[in-house]
Amino acid sequence: MGRWICCLCSRVADSLMLLLVLALSCNPSTAATASPSAPHVKPSYNFGRTFLGLDKCNACIGTSICKKFFKEEIRFDTWLSSRLKLPPSYLLSYSGNYTDDAKSWRMVDITRLTSKYQHDRADKRICTSLLKTKTCSLERALRRTQRFQKWLRAKRLTPDLVQGLSSPMLRCPSQRLLDRIVRRYAEVPDAGSIYMDHLTDRDKLRLLYTLSVNSHPILLQIFPDVEGWPFPRYLGSCGRLVVSASTRPLRDFYGAAPEVAADLALQLLAVLRSMGTNDLNYFFYFTHVDAGTFGVFSNGHLFIRDASTLGIIDKEEGSQLIDGQQEYKDIFSCLTVDCQSAFVSCNSIREKHSLVMVCQELLPKLLKGKFLQPVQEKIDSFLQHCADGLADDQGLNEAVAELEEILKPLRSCDSRFAYRYPDCKYSDKY
């Protein structure tokens, strides 16, 4: 009897379980609740090769940071938006965000070496000049040139391989500077060698193209910020886009408080002094300055934001190209400038050259009307004297020291200047 009752109970339990399963399957709302939720579709950038400039490689800058773009570890300033969209491709620069762990983000600048219009114009020039067609394979066309064929055969980057390029950095080249470029070129695995054996044909074309269009990323690579040079950190390139640490242009600080303006002016003078006197014995000079040439990090530290107009003279070796050799012109000389542009003679550059330009273009806008008399009058008088070219016997260091003595008492020591705070509290230097 007991065995029969147990069997009956078991059958009743099985029947109740079957009814429960049927009820759940017949009730759509209950079934939906019981099933796992649909996977969340993560919005993504629809990157195209054209936007990045990858369709132009190997007539491009590099590919070292492309994975970061496609993994969305580099995002433009709309990265918090639920609908991620690429900005217009015609802009010259973009604000972006960069991460290594997908949790902490830091701001970066994403820039083109020239505007997309200038890039497109240069691409057309390559095709029409070399192959007599409106469109072509840029890489195939540039590979056929006499200059690149010399690069392919070369074991070492020598002055004759860069003669006639429009970059100010290469107008007065030394072998020591060119060796530094090859040894520190960051778009290839570091070989630490002055010889180009570790560069593939593709690498050589990318390096030549970058030097021909804009030497800014090369300067960031060969004079890195971690060694104390006043440039933002180079993070990598993808196609024709360059990624570097973010800075705000100096123009954003023209309306800053007097103590901020004085601090930035003193930093600007210090940068100019280091450009003329440094441990490696290179003399840096500007061929042009404007409100975007210098930038300021979030900690208040001033850097050279745009190095494209920087020339370099090797005070240790001197230039290994005489001025006549600079007149050599080919398609690489004309990618971003008029082929008829005249070169500045290496012998015509003076030590105070950059300071005079800064006194003409930047310091008056930064310091004008900021201070009480008679201090403001002293500043205005010096800037006018400096803009006129300074006295013939007055060098860079003397002129900088004169303005520094006026500005030093005008700056303050507080948390707004994080790059030197709280050190300034315990140092007579400030």
PDB file of all heavy atoms in Angstrom, residues 5 10 22 37 75 88 127 141 166 175 191 196 204 254-255 270 301 306 313 317 386 403 412:
ATOM      1  N   ILE A   5       1.260   4.342  -2.809  1.00  0.00           N
ATOM      2  CA  ILE A   5       1.069   5.777  -2.498  1.00  0.00           C
ATOM      3  C   ILE A   5       2.296   6.567  -2.956  1.00  0.00           C
ATOM      4  O   ILE A   5       2.180   7.639  -3.549  1.00  0.00           O
ATOM      5  CB  ILE A   5       0.833   5.948  -0.983  1.00  0.00           C
ATOM      6  CG1 ILE A   5      -0.518   5.370  -0.587  1.00  0.00           C
ATOM      7  CG2 ILE A   5       0.908   7.426  -0.593  1.00  0.00           C
ATOM      8  CD1 ILE A   5      -0.780   5.365   0.925  1.00  0.00           C
ATOM      9  N   SER A  10       4.729  10.424  -6.835  1.00  0.00           N
ATOM     10  CA  SER A  10       5.753  10.738  -7.830  1.00  0.00           C
ATOM     11  C   SER A  10       5.133  11.143  -9.151  1.00  0.00           C
ATOM     12  O   SER A  10       5.567  12.082  -9.803  1.00  0.00           O
ATOM     13  CB  SER A  10       6.669   9.537  -8.022  1.00  0.00           C
ATOM     14  OG  SER A  10       7.621   9.774  -9.028  1.00  0.00           O
ATOM     15  N   LEU A  22       4.562  23.926 -19.373  1.00  0.00           N
ATOM     16  CA  LEU A  22       3.621  24.325 -20.432  1.00  0.00           C
ATOM     17  C   LEU A  22       3.092  25.719 -20.202  1.00  0.00           C
ATOM     18  O   LEU A  22       2.923  26.509 -21.134  1.00  0.00           O
ATOM     19  CB  LEU A  22       2.461  23.310 -20.493  1.00  0.00           C
ATOM     20  CG  LEU A  22       2.819  21.921 -21.024  1.00  0.00           C
ATOM     21  CD1 LEU A  22       1.633  20.967 -20.847  1.00  0.00           C
ATOM     22  CD2 LEU A  22       3.221  22.004 -22.486  1.00  0.00           C
ATOM     23  N   SER A  37      18.716  38.093 -21.292  1.00  0.00           N
ATOM     24  CA  SER A  37      18.484  39.336 -22.035  1.00  0.00           C
ATOM     25  C   SER A  37      19.324  39.335 -23.308  1.00  0.00           C
ATOM     26  O   SER A  37      20.398  38.753 -23.370  1.00  0.00           O
ATOM     27  CB  SER A  37      18.849  40.537 -21.167  1.00  0.00           C
ATOM     28  OG  SER A  37      20.203  40.446 -20.770  1.00  0.00           O
ATOM     29  N   ARG A  75      39.483  57.508 -29.216  1.00  0.00           N
ATOM     30  CA  ARG A  75      38.172  58.002 -29.634  1.00  0.00           C
ATOM     31  C   ARG A  75      38.207  59.514 -29.739  1.00  0.00           C
ATOM     32  O   ARG A  75      38.962  60.183 -29.035  1.00  0.00           O
ATOM     33  CB  ARG A  75      37.096  57.568 -28.633  1.00  0.00           C
ATOM     34  CG  ARG A  75      36.898  56.064 -28.555  1.00  0.00           C
ATOM     35  CD  ARG A  75      35.829  55.712 -27.548  1.00  0.00           C
ATOM     36  NE  ARG A  75      35.562  54.275 -27.543  1.00  0.00           N
ATOM     37  CZ  ARG A  75      34.684  53.696 -26.734  1.00  0.00           C
ATOM     38  NH1 ARG A  75      33.998  54.425 -25.877  1.00  0.00           N
ATOM     39  NH2 ARG A  75      34.491  52.393 -26.784  1.00  0.00           N
ATOM     40  N   PRO A  88      34.113  65.605 -39.259  1.00  0.00           N
ATOM     41  CA  PRO A  88      34.361  65.856 -40.693  1.00  0.00           C
ATOM     42  C   PRO A  88      35.817  65.611 -41.063  1.00  0.00           C
ATOM     43  O   PRO A  88      36.723  65.936 -40.287  1.00  0.00           O
ATOM     44  CB  PRO A  88      33.995  67.340 -40.857  1.00  0.00           C
ATOM     45  CG  PRO A  88      33.094  67.646 -39.716  1.00  0.00           C
ATOM     46  CD  PRO A  88      33.539  66.785 -38.591  1.00  0.00           C
ATOM     47  N   CYS A 127      50.392  62.316 -59.472  1.00  0.00           N
ATOM     48  CA  CYS A 127      49.908  61.549 -60.629  1.00  0.00           C
ATOM     49  C   CYS A 127      50.124  62.298 -61.944  1.00  0.00           C
ATOM     50  O   CYS A 127      50.576  61.713 -62.930  1.00  0.00           O
ATOM     51  CB  CYS A 127      48.421  61.220 -60.445  1.00  0.00           C
ATOM     52  SG  CYS A 127      48.102  60.065 -59.096  1.00  0.00           S
ATOM     53  N   ALA A 141      53.927  55.394 -58.247  1.00  0.00           N
ATOM     54  CA  ALA A 141      54.488  56.587 -58.889  1.00  0.00           C
ATOM     55  C   ALA A 141      55.732  57.077 -58.154  1.00  0.00           C
ATOM     56  O   ALA A 141      56.757  57.387 -58.776  1.00  0.00           O
ATOM     57  CB  ALA A 141      53.433  57.683 -58.941  1.00  0.00           C
ATOM     58  N   SER A 166      61.482  70.524 -48.529  1.00  0.00           N
ATOM     59  CA  SER A 166      61.042  71.825 -48.040  1.00  0.00           C
ATOM     60  C   SER A 166      61.090  71.970 -46.530  1.00  0.00           C
ATOM     61  O   SER A 166      60.982  73.071 -46.007  1.00  0.00           O
ATOM     62  CB  SER A 166      59.605  72.095 -48.517  1.00  0.00           C
ATOM     63  OG  SER A 166      58.716  71.120 -47.999  1.00  0.00           O
ATOM     64  N   GLN A 175      75.301  65.110 -40.801  1.00  0.00           N
ATOM     65  CA  GLN A 175      75.215  63.654 -40.768  1.00  0.00           C
ATOM     66  C   GLN A 175      74.764  63.176 -39.389  1.00  0.00           C
ATOM     67  O   GLN A 175      74.028  62.201 -39.254  1.00  0.00           O
ATOM     68  CB  GLN A 175      76.565  63.034 -41.129  1.00  0.00           C
ATOM     69  CG  GLN A 175      76.531  61.521 -41.288  1.00  0.00           C
ATOM     70  CD  GLN A 175      75.569  61.095 -42.399  1.00  0.00           C
ATOM     71  OE1 GLN A 175      75.704  61.478 -43.545  1.00  0.00           O
ATOM     72  NE2 GLN A 175      74.562  60.285 -42.043  1.00  0.00           N
ATOM     73  N   ALA A 191      65.983  49.552 -33.780  1.00  0.00           N
ATOM     74  CA  ALA A 191      67.196  48.776 -34.026  1.00  0.00           C
ATOM     75  C   ALA A 191      68.419  49.458 -33.422  1.00  0.00           C
ATOM     76  O   ALA A 191      69.468  48.844 -33.278  1.00  0.00           O
ATOM     77  CB  ALA A 191      67.408  48.581 -35.531  1.00  0.00           C
ATOM     78  N   MET A 196      70.312  51.894 -42.358  1.00  0.00           N
ATOM     79  CA  MET A 196      68.907  51.695 -42.690  1.00  0.00           C
ATOM     80  C   MET A 196      68.575  50.245 -43.022  1.00  0.00           C
ATOM     81  O   MET A 196      67.561  49.979 -43.665  1.00  0.00           O
ATOM     82  CB  MET A 196      68.499  52.619 -43.852  1.00  0.00           C
ATOM     83  CG  MET A 196      68.578  54.095 -43.509  1.00  0.00           C
ATOM     84  SD  MET A 196      67.669  55.178 -44.658  1.00  0.00           S
ATOM     85  CE  MET A 196      68.682  55.063 -46.114  1.00  0.00           C
ATOM     86  N   LYS A 204      61.025  53.041 -45.789  1.00  0.00           N
ATOM     87  CA  LYS A 204      61.794  54.135 -46.382  1.00  0.00           C
ATOM     88  C   LYS A 204      60.873  55.126 -47.089  1.00  0.00           C
ATOM     89  O   LYS A 204      61.079  56.340 -47.001  1.00  0.00           O
ATOM     90  CB  LYS A 204      62.836  53.581 -47.361  1.00  0.00           C
ATOM     91  CG  LYS A 204      63.985  52.852 -46.687  1.00  0.00           C
ATOM     92  CD  LYS A 204      65.011  52.367 -47.704  1.00  0.00           C
ATOM     93  CE  LYS A 204      66.182  51.674 -47.017  1.00  0.00           C
ATOM     94  NZ  LYS A 204      67.201  51.205 -47.984  1.00  0.00           N
ATOM     95  N   TYR A 254      45.650  84.305 -24.033  1.00  0.00           N
ATOM     96  CA  TYR A 254      45.874  85.737 -24.231  1.00  0.00           C
ATOM     97  C   TYR A 254      45.084  86.577 -23.228  1.00  0.00           C
ATOM     98  O   TYR A 254      45.493  87.683 -22.878  1.00  0.00           O
ATOM     99  CB  TYR A 254      45.519  86.149 -25.660  1.00  0.00           C
ATOM    100  CG  TYR A 254      46.555  85.739 -26.689  1.00  0.00           C
ATOM    101  CD1 TYR A 254      46.260  85.772 -28.054  1.00  0.00           C
ATOM    102  CD2 TYR A 254      47.830  85.336 -26.310  1.00  0.00           C
ATOM    103  CE1 TYR A 254      47.210  85.398 -29.004  1.00  0.00           C
ATOM    104  CE2 TYR A 254      48.774  84.971 -27.250  1.00  0.00           C
ATOM    105  CZ  TYR A 254      48.466  85.010 -28.596  1.00  0.00           C
ATOM    106  OH  TYR A 254      49.404  84.643 -29.536  1.00  0.00           O
ATOM    107  N   GLY A 255      43.945  86.068 -22.772  1.00  0.00           N
ATOM    108  CA  GLY A 255      43.142  86.800 -21.790  1.00  0.00           C
ATOM    109  C   GLY A 255      43.360  86.328 -20.371  1.00  0.00           C
ATOM    110  O   GLY A 255      42.551  86.633 -19.487  1.00  0.00           O
ATOM    111  N   ALA A 270      62.382  80.541 -21.537  1.00  0.00           N
ATOM    112  CA  ALA A 270      63.235  79.402 -21.186  1.00  0.00           C
ATOM    113  C   ALA A 270      63.349  78.422 -22.340  1.00  0.00           C
ATOM    114  O   ALA A 270      64.420  77.849 -22.595  1.00  0.00           O
ATOM    115  CB  ALA A 270      62.680  78.704 -19.947  1.00  0.00           C
ATOM    116  N   HIS A 301      52.336  73.567 -17.940  1.00  0.00           N
ATOM    117  CA  HIS A 301      53.652  73.514 -18.569  1.00  0.00           C
ATOM    118  C   HIS A 301      53.541  73.866 -20.048  1.00  0.00           C
ATOM    119  O   HIS A 301      52.702  73.318 -20.763  1.00  0.00           O
ATOM    120  CB  HIS A 301      54.238  72.117 -18.402  1.00  0.00           C
ATOM    121  CG  HIS A 301      55.728  72.084 -18.432  1.00  0.00           C
ATOM    122  ND1 HIS A 301      56.471  70.966 -18.137  1.00  0.00           N
ATOM    123  CD2 HIS A 301      56.634  73.052 -18.724  1.00  0.00           C
ATOM    124  CE1 HIS A 301      57.761  71.240 -18.256  1.00  0.00           C
ATOM    125  NE2 HIS A 301      57.885  72.491 -18.609  1.00  0.00           N
ATOM    126  N   ASP A 306      53.594  72.914 -32.269  1.00  0.00           N
ATOM    127  CA  ASP A 306      53.741  72.679 -33.705  1.00  0.00           C
ATOM    128  C   ASP A 306      55.201  72.887 -34.082  1.00  0.00           C
ATOM    129  O   ASP A 306      55.691  74.013 -34.110  1.00  0.00           O
ATOM    130  CB  ASP A 306      52.836  73.637 -34.482  1.00  0.00           C
ATOM    131  CG  ASP A 306      52.952  73.461 -35.991  1.00  0.00           C
ATOM    132  OD1 ASP A 306      53.687  72.549 -36.433  1.00  0.00           O
ATOM    133  OD2 ASP A 306      52.319  74.224 -36.733  1.00  0.00           O
ATOM    134  N   ILE A 313      70.321  73.730 -36.850  1.00  0.00           N
ATOM    135  CA  ILE A 313      71.706  73.858 -37.293  1.00  0.00           C
ATOM    136  C   ILE A 313      72.579  73.132 -36.278  1.00  0.00           C
ATOM    137  O   ILE A 313      72.455  73.342 -35.075  1.00  0.00           O
ATOM    138  CB  ILE A 313      72.116  75.342 -37.403  1.00  0.00           C
ATOM    139  CG1 ILE A 313      71.319  76.024 -38.520  1.00  0.00           C
ATOM    140  CG2 ILE A 313      73.618  75.466 -37.659  1.00  0.00           C
ATOM    141  CD1 ILE A 313      71.578  77.501 -38.655  1.00  0.00           C
ATOM    142  N   GLU A 317      78.832  69.866 -35.866  1.00  0.00           N
ATOM    143  CA  GLU A 317      79.326  69.406 -37.168  1.00  0.00           C
ATOM    144  C   GLU A 317      79.160  70.445 -38.263  1.00  0.00           C
ATOM    145  O   GLU A 317      79.873  70.422 -39.263  1.00  0.00           O
ATOM    146  CB  GLU A 317      78.592  68.121 -37.588  1.00  0.00           C
ATOM    147  CG  GLU A 317      79.017  66.886 -36.836  1.00  0.00           C
ATOM    148  CD  GLU A 317      78.448  65.620 -37.463  1.00  0.00           C
ATOM    149  OE1 GLU A 317      77.763  65.718 -38.506  1.00  0.00           O
ATOM    150  OE2 GLU A 317      78.686  64.538 -36.920  1.00  0.00           O
ATOM    151  N   CYS A 386      62.937  94.711 -28.759  1.00  0.00           N
ATOM    152  CA  CYS A 386      63.197  93.341 -29.225  1.00  0.00           C
ATOM    153  C   CYS A 386      62.620  93.134 -30.620  1.00  0.00           C
ATOM    154  O   CYS A 386      63.271  92.551 -31.496  1.00  0.00           O
ATOM    155  CB  CYS A 386      62.597  92.350 -28.240  1.00  0.00           C
ATOM    156  SG  CYS A 386      62.721  90.618 -28.725  1.00  0.00           S
ATOM    157  N   LEU A 403      64.498  90.583 -19.872  1.00  0.00           N
ATOM    158  CA  LEU A 403      63.047  90.478 -19.729  1.00  0.00           C
ATOM    159  C   LEU A 403      62.675  89.592 -18.540  1.00  0.00           C
ATOM    160  O   LEU A 403      61.680  89.839 -17.848  1.00  0.00           O
ATOM    161  CB  LEU A 403      62.437  89.924 -21.020  1.00  0.00           C
ATOM    162  CG  LEU A 403      60.910  89.858 -21.079  1.00  0.00           C
ATOM    163  CD1 LEU A 403      60.278  91.215 -20.769  1.00  0.00           C
ATOM    164  CD2 LEU A 403      60.441  89.370 -22.442  1.00  0.00           C
ATOM    165  N   SER A 412      53.203  83.948  -9.561  1.00  0.00           N
ATOM    166  CA  SER A 412      52.845  83.483  -8.227  1.00  0.00           C
ATOM    167  C   SER A 412      53.156  81.997  -8.081  1.00  0.00           C
ATOM    168  O   SER A 412      53.508  81.326  -9.052  1.00  0.00           O
ATOM    169  CB  SER A 412      51.361  83.740  -7.960  1.00  0.00           C
ATOM    170  OG  SER A 412      50.560  82.983  -8.871  1.00  0.00           O
TER     171      SER A 412
END
